[in-house]
Amino acid sequence: MRHPTRYGAIAFTAPVAERQKATGSIHWYGRRRAQGENVGRPDELDTTVTALIRATDSFFLATVTPSGWPYIQHRGGPTGFVHVLDPSTIALADYSGNQQFVTIGNLDENDAVALFFIDYPTRTRVKVYGRAEVVERADDPGLVARLLTTPDGVVKAGCDRALVVHVEALDRNCTKNIPPKYGEARMRESLTLARKGLQDEIDILTSRNAELEREIAQLRGGGDGQRG
């Protein structure tokens, strides 16, 4: 039997539970629901979720305005720009953007965030609830410098701050309705494999053509000598 979870306590509010009752899905999710948000210890990132986060080059970050409006922002960078510092902590450099500072301003008022990671080739998605801490470069230059370098050694341009997210809860969705999509690197790899047979044939024909050209050149050379 499933017990109340931190994700259920946060996401499955009373109105949500009413909708679940109306459709019957309360039988699946009701056991995960609890009154209030304090259900045991915060969730931790397992190896599968950690690997997905560390491999991402794109995710979505949601904050809440002081008036209650949700605000969703896309965050992107080189593969590995999102760091998992430990099973309870996600961090990233706050790259320079359009200078609106909506996300950072929202966090100054309310540190609640939701992170949405999705890997299209494997049709995997993970939702993470957390509390975000804005760390200015002046307060911890070492952390900002660390987050500007990916595990593969890619270094981005400087930034003024970092975001450190302390994980509260997470949930892995099913793959339903996620279209498989592939990035540039994966497409190049697939095209290379698809063209391999054709390329081998081209290489053979190119080599044979070069041999014929040499033979023709030799024949022409021998004929000119006889005429002389």
Side-chain angles (χ1 to χ4, degrees):
M1 173 180 288
R2 300 207 61 170
H3 299 289
T5 64
R6 204 169 188 83
Y7 177 82
I10 295 173
F12 300 155
T13 59
V16 172
E18 289 302 315
R19 285 286 182 173
Q20 292 174 351
K21 289 176 183 177
T23 61
S25 65
I26 192 70
H27 298 295
W28 305 318
Y29 300 122
R31 297 175 187 144
R32 300 174 60 185
R33 183 171 179 261
Q35 300 298 325
E37 297 184 11
N38 297 318
V39 181
R41 295 174 57 82
D43 290 340
E44 292 190 346
L45 308 172
D46 60 26
T47 55
T48 300
V49 173
T50 296
L52 184 150
I53 293 173
R54 285 176 171 166
T56 194
D57 59 5
S58 173
F59 78 102
F60 297 91
L61 171 65
T63 56
V64 183
T65 69
S67 57
W69 286 97
Y71 180 76
I72 299 177
Q73 184 182 54
H74 170 264
R75 291 296 179 103
T79 299
F81 83 104
V82 183
H83 297 247
V84 177
L85 303 185
D86 58 55
S88 301
T89 314
I90 300 170
L92 65 147
D94 182 37
Y95 298 149
S96 298
N98 55 18
Q99 304 295 299
Q100 288 188 6
F101 296 111
V102 178
T103 293
I104 300 301
N106 288 343
L107 293 176
D108 287 339
E109 178 79 13
N110 184 342
D111 64 358
V113 294
L115 286 66
F116 187 87
F117 298 92
I118 184 165
D119 181 62
Y120 286 101
T122 61
R123 303 173 69 210
T124 305
R125 54 182 171 177
V126 176
K127 294 178 292 186
V128 179
Y129 280 123
R131 299 285 180 182
E133 175 186 0
V134 179
V135 180
E136 299 295 335
R137 175 189 284 275
D139 297 327
D140 196 338
L143 173 65
V144 174
R146 174 185 175 186
L147 297 178
L148 283 171
T149 304
T150 71
D152 292 334
V154 178
V155 181
K156 285 282 288 185
C159 68
D160 295 326
R161 65 192 59 82
L163 297 180
V164 178
V165 178
H166 303 284
V167 176
E168 287 285 340
L170 62 92
D171 184 62
R172 279 185 282 189
N173 292 66
C174 67
T175 60
K176 186 177 181 181
N177 297 327
I178 300 178
K181 298 180 180 180
Y182 302 93
E184 182 180 350
R186 184 70 66 88
M187 287 299 296
R188 284 201 304 266
E189 179 183 355
S190 298
L191 288 172
T192 299
L193 292 173
R195 292 171 176 171
K196 187 177 186 308
L198 179 60
Q199 187 61 51
D200 290 344
E201 185 175 349
I202 290 173
D203 292 341
I204 292 172
L205 292 173
T206 300
S207 177
R208 179 55 179 157
N209 186 63
E211 291 177 2
L212 291 173
E213 287 180 348
R214 286 194 296 269
E215 291 176 5
I216 292 171
Q218 291 174 356
L219 291 172
R220 286 177 175 172
D224 291 342
Q226 290 177 356
R227 287 193 297 270

